Amino acid sequence: MVKIFRRPLPILAAALAISCALTAFWILKLEWTLPWLRLFDRPDSLPLDALMVQNNTLPRMAMALLAGGSTAMATMLMQQLMRNPLASDSTLAVSSGAQAALVAATVFAPSFLAYGTSAVAFAGAAAALGVVLRLSARRALQPLSVVLAGLVVSLYLGSLTGIVMLFFSEETRGVMQWGSGSLVQDSWRDTLGLLWRIAVAAILTAFLIKPLNIMSLGDTQAESAGIPVKKIRLLSLAVAAFLSAGVVGFVGMMGFVGLAAATLVRQMGVRTLSMRLICSFIVGALLLMLTDNGLMLLKHYRGTDLPAGAVTALVGAPLLLWLTAKAPPRPSFQTTSDILRYRKGRLKPRIGLILLCRQSVLFGEGTQRALQHGNRAVNQTATAASWQQLAQALQGTEVV
């Protein structure tokens, strides 16, 4: 198990959590004039300014937490699947597809907006994802093929959206603000809608953790263990796109939040996929909430209203460049060939040769039983168990 509490990540998370709590208390102290015990009273018993806090400020803070966390979680899942530390929702053209669909509906089919902007954005994101997967299907959904197809589709949709917004600037004025990423809320409806989407995605991801751990050793090894690599990758991409599309549909594009959070988590020594997903969600949620709290304070004192998505992109880009410059020379996502390439390094004593010999014995015993009984299922079961334990062990090991 990763000894995460010996890493600097808990210190960062604690600092972010304290900053978020202090800024949130500051904002509520400025806007809430009633006793604190009445913060969650029934709306019909509160004055207008208190209703604004209940239906605007509190949902906005909650939306910042959910949007930042789900974006970071989706980004980490995409990076694990593609073995690319710079993969994000733009790689699958999810954000571009959502924005293109909303712009097209606003200009050419306003009646579609009656179903809600979130539904239209999700339909566009799903369509863009389908095109990306269709283009990369001939390459068996290999990570590089998916990345290239996603970039091509994203650039194409971005060009079309820019042309439409150029010729229909009046009709798309509201869409431009949405595209910048605005967390402003007028009720708890969108927040609760995003919450159940995150819950569904978390349940699906929990069932995918074990096969994804085995796939981290490489597609060949995973297939030999009986893992349907293509189906697992397709389902995992769908879950990541579902999370990203939900955020884009409700609040717009949040640039670099997920990418910055995922990069911070990876470079602070978190190895196992399950811990990476959990830590990415926490760090992403706190980063976006702290940013948006600062923007609310800026609006209160200076009267300047800036969208959170534009600010996160402005702050996140230099942070990402700094993190990239500090990246270690070895790859963050290791397959079996990567491990063999660094075999001259020394492994931590807690794995060593004993654990490797144990996996070989388990594999050999399972294969021998399968040959004696002629049972192919026993062979696949033993192989899968061996590769699963080896994947978990290697993910928890740092090569030095």
Side-chain angles (χ1 to χ4, degrees):
M1 183 179 67
V2 177
K3 296 181 180 179
I4 186 173
F5 292 102
R6 296 184 180 179
R7 306 286 184 174
L9 183 60
I11 301 176
L12 172 65
L16 289 175
I18 294 173
S19 301
C20 289
L22 291 177
T23 52
F25 178 76
W26 189 355
I27 294 169
L28 292 176
K29 188 177 180 180
L30 292 173
E31 298 182 357
W32 186 260
T33 57
L34 299 177
W36 291 104
L37 295 177
R38 299 191 60 188
L39 189 60
F40 295 100
D41 279 0
R42 294 179 57 184
D44 55 2
S45 63
L46 297 175
L48 182 59
D49 56 346
L51 286 177
M52 291 295 295
V53 176
Q54 271 196 352
N55 295 310
N56 185 296
T57 304
L58 294 180
R60 179 171 178 172
M61 292 180 180
M63 177 60 78
L65 288 173
L66 295 178
S70 57
T71 302
M73 181 178 173
T75 300
M76 179 60 73
L77 189 57
M78 295 177 194
Q79 291 180 357
Q80 178 72 21
L81 289 169
M82 301 175 187
R83 304 188 187 103
N84 184 352
L86 297 180
S88 63
D89 55 347
S90 60
T91 304
L92 293 178
V94 173
S95 300
S96 300
Q99 186 181 30
L102 194 57
V103 170
T106 302
V107 176
F108 303 109
S111 60
F112 287 172
L113 297 178
Y115 299 99
T117 56
S118 300
V120 175
F122 180 75
L129 174 63
V131 173
V132 172
L133 297 180
R134 181 68 180 88
L135 292 175
S136 56
R138 294 184 178 180
R139 297 286 184 178
L141 299 178
Q142 291 296 321
L144 180 59
S145 300
V146 176
V147 170
L148 293 177
L151 290 176
V152 171
V153 174
S154 180
L155 290 174
Y156 185 76
L157 292 176
S159 300
L160 291 179
T161 302
I163 293 174
V164 173
M165 295 177 68
L166 180 64
F167 284 97
F168 300 93
S169 57
E170 292 296 329
E171 292 83 351
T172 58
R173 181 177 299 176
V175 180
M176 293 177 63
Q177 182 179 3
W178 169 86
S180 300
S182 177
L183 291 169
V184 177
Q185 302 292 308
D186 56 6
S187 68
W188 287 91
R189 183 186 61 182
D190 290 348
T191 304
L192 295 177
L194 183 58
L195 179 61
W196 75 258
R197 285 170 172 80
I198 295 175
V200 172
I203 294 174
L204 293 176
T205 305
F207 287 102
L208 296 172
I209 290 295
K210 288 185 178 180
L212 287 176
N213 281 333
I214 299 178
M215 287 173 59
S216 65
L217 292 172
D219 292 350
T220 304
Q221 288 79 4
E223 289 176 354
S224 66
I227 301 298
V229 174
K230 186 175 180 180
K231 292 181 180 179
I232 294 297
R233 181 172 289 131
L234 179 63
L235 182 57
S236 301
L237 289 176
V239 172
F242 178 74
L243 278 173
S244 300
V247 175
V248 173
F250 283 117
V251 297
M253 300 181 184
M254 293 295 160
F256 288 102
V257 173
L259 203 56
T263 305
L264 281 170
V265 170
R266 284 191 296 103
Q267 296 204 5
M268 288 191 175
V270 183
R271 294 296 176 185
T272 60
L273 177 59
S274 57
M275 289 303 300
R276 280 184 177 184
L277 293 174
I278 295 173
C279 295
S280 295
F281 187 94
I282 296 173
V283 174
L286 295 176
L287 280 176
L288 186 56
M289 183 181 181
L290 181 60
T291 302
D292 193 57
N293 286 350
L295 293 178
M296 285 193 283
L297 291 173
L298 179 65
K299 181 181 179 181
H300 179 83
Y301 288 105
R302 297 295 182 180
T304 303
D305 190 9
L306 297 177
V311 176
T312 54
L314 182 65
V315 177
L319 174 63
L320 183 63
L321 292 176
W322 180 81
L323 291 173
T324 304
K326 294 292 184 179
R330 59 181 176 84
S332 299
F333 300 96
Q334 294 180 342
T335 61
T336 304
S337 58
D338 298 326
I339 296 169
L340 293 177
R341 189 179 304 148
Y342 292 96
R343 65 184 181 272
K344 292 183 179 180
R346 49 188 182 84
L347 300 178
K348 286 186 175 180
R350 63 189 179 91
I351 178 173
L353 295 177
I354 298 177
L355 186 55
L356 292 176
C357 292
R358 181 192 174 199
Q359 306 311 317
S360 301
V361 171
L362 288 174
F363 177 77
E365 291 179 351
T367 304
Q368 184 177 4
R369 289 196 300 267
L371 292 176
Q372 290 176 352
H373 296 85
N375 191 340
R376 184 173 179 268
V378 175
N379 187 17
Q380 287 188 348
T381 302
T383 306
S386 178
W387 283 115
Q388 168 68 20
Q389 294 182 12
L390 181 57
Q392 293 177 348
L394 290 175
Q395 281 192 342
T397 304
E398 181 181 3
V399 182
V400 295

